[in-house]
Amino acid sequence: MTIYSLFRKIIPFVKPYKSLVAATLVFTFIGSLTAQVNAIILKYTVDSINDLMVQHKQLKDGFTILSVITFVLLAKEIISASVQFGQKYYGEKLRIYISRDLSQKVVEKILTYKMAFYTSAENESGKLQTRIDSGISSLTRLVQNFFIDILPLFANALIALGIMFYANFYIGLVSLCIVPIYFFISQKQAQKLGGFRRKMRGYRETKNNSIISLIESITVIKSFIREDFESKKHADIQLAMTDNQMQTRKTSFAFDSVKGFIEQFGVAIIIILTAYFVLKGQMTIGAIMFHIMLFNNVSGPIRQLHRIYDEINDALIYSESYFDILDAQHQVEESGNYQPKTINGYFELRNVDFRYPNGTLALSNVSFQIPAGETSALVGLSGAGKSTTINLLDKFYEPTSGKILLDGVDIKEYNTQFLRKNIGLVLQKNHIFQGTIADNIRYGDMDADMHAIISAAKQAFIHDQIMELPKQYLADARLLSGGQQQRIAIARLFLKNPPIIFLDEPTASLDAIATEQIKNSLDAIKKNRTVIIITHSISQIIDASNIVVLEKGMVKEEGDHESLYKMEGAYYKIFNAMAHSLNIDKIITTISEAG
Ligand code: ADP
């Protein structure tokens, strides 16, 4: 990203606050004028006192002069205090507003992005968060520093330079010569530091990510006693970071020393030059202090020049990923316009191939049909492509080639939101949001009243258990057991009431008792809908009227339980394996002995 494109991208965020910018600029300008008053007053004081001394006058003769000085300095302080307040306040307001807009905009934008955006390795949640956060903070810092620190300093420098030229052309020239030298050095400094910064960003992202993954894998780490190994991994990043930080500081300090030297060199030349003019009688003695103070006003801000480079470079590095995320137009989910009055739920996959963005071929040449209003099961070993199929039917991803039709129309043609409104999804572990049980059920239909929520909970066979809780529907949903949460998710679906339901291993993470408990809710939700279920539960498979067997991304067999079993092929093997794992003989013996 170039500075030009960076500014072009920030402008839309600053534009709504034009009046704030104008107010800040006006305050800045007044502030820079008042900043020169001290130098002028000092010159006036030295020259006037000098005159009095030459004329051998007493202190009482200088009373008027002292009164003028006191009055001017006081007035100046009052003005500059109010100006500084206004300038900082408006500048800060601008920063806060822009920061708010930047973060709101990116959230609004990424919510429209495709699933592939969220699952790609470069956007793992920790990394995405760090990239967005550092982008926003560097951009807001840029805006803040520009309006609060840098702009006033430079306005100050410019006016001081003007006054110097006005006082004497040569004095002005000496000050002006310092500027390009500073520019050159600051640029070199910024270039050197840019490399370190880039590295630092990489370290921070990895570190941030590694702490998250550390927490996620803590059970495994502890059970394999890999604490030392993990600690060393962290220490390695930490060491590299320290090294990088030290180099950054070293470079900064070295450049600062060079700049300090040049500045003092400038001061010396100004003193010599002014003394020369004073001795020649072309200037009064007060000019020496006057010029040094003005020179400070010029060199002070220029000394901060590298900070602008730093800020801009930071913004260039960090905001690049922010804007990449914001402007990833190709990530926006596509949508057609088709919105039929009713949906039956007859799916047809025609020669579907699908490759994940990372290159994994998950489905190849898959063709099958899902009858409307019935329950179909997808069966296959883990990794066979069952969840992928559901991802495609929900339009979370698009087939690499081939077609998916719903009621005879390509799902590409459907309005994506309309399609999803008509599909309900129950996953192995459903997401329960922070909040009450009522809020969590209401997620299925934001307009639902309490009556509808209770009725949905009853349909999902969870109402009685909710009523036993001390806070009932206002209880924290996250404290419910896995089986209860699963039924909350099903209640949510009753509210949404879609004609099509996908169940992706809905009982896989539950124990036998919880599975038995949610069986009723599942049977209820399946009624009169088109249902696709991915499951390893024998009873649910047998219940399905249509079974599709997948193996390594390909359809192996298709049919109902009896016909597939008779074929003695892939389904036969999977089914027998599942049945054996249940140890049915022993179960039957146990039950019959007990009976
Ligand atoms: P199943 O549901 O049958 O267990 P999946 O559909 O989840 O199988 O996976 C099919 C293949 O696609 C597997 O090889 C899996 O590793 C891969 N896969 C699944 N999700 C992703 C993803 N988000 N990115 C890349 N590859 C994936």
Side-chain angles (χ1 to χ4, degrees), residues 441 453-463 483-484 486-494 517-522 524-525:
I441 299 180
I453 290 174
I454 292 173
S455 144
K458 280 183 182 160
Q459 285 175 290
F461 295 92
I462 183 76
H463 173 73
Q484 289 169 329
Q486 207 64 340
R487 272 175 288 164
I488 295 290
I490 293 171
R492 211 185 256 166
L493 273 198
F494 272 113
Q517 281 174 340
I518 89 157
K519 193 178 177 319
N520 290 339
S521 341
L522 280 178
I525 194 89

Side-chain angles (χ1 to χ4, degrees), residues 7 213 243 422 524 577 580 587:
F7 275 87
S213 63
D243 195 40
N422 284 284
H580 286 143
I587 295 172

Side-chain angles (χ1 to χ4, degrees), residues 119 356-358 360-362 380-389 391 397 504-505 534:
T119 50
Y356 276 104
N358 72 352
T360 311
L361 182 67
L381 301 179
S382 163
K386 305 178 298 289
S387 303
T388 304
T389 306
N391 280 339
Y397 294 93
D504 192 347
E505 304 198 37
I534 297 177

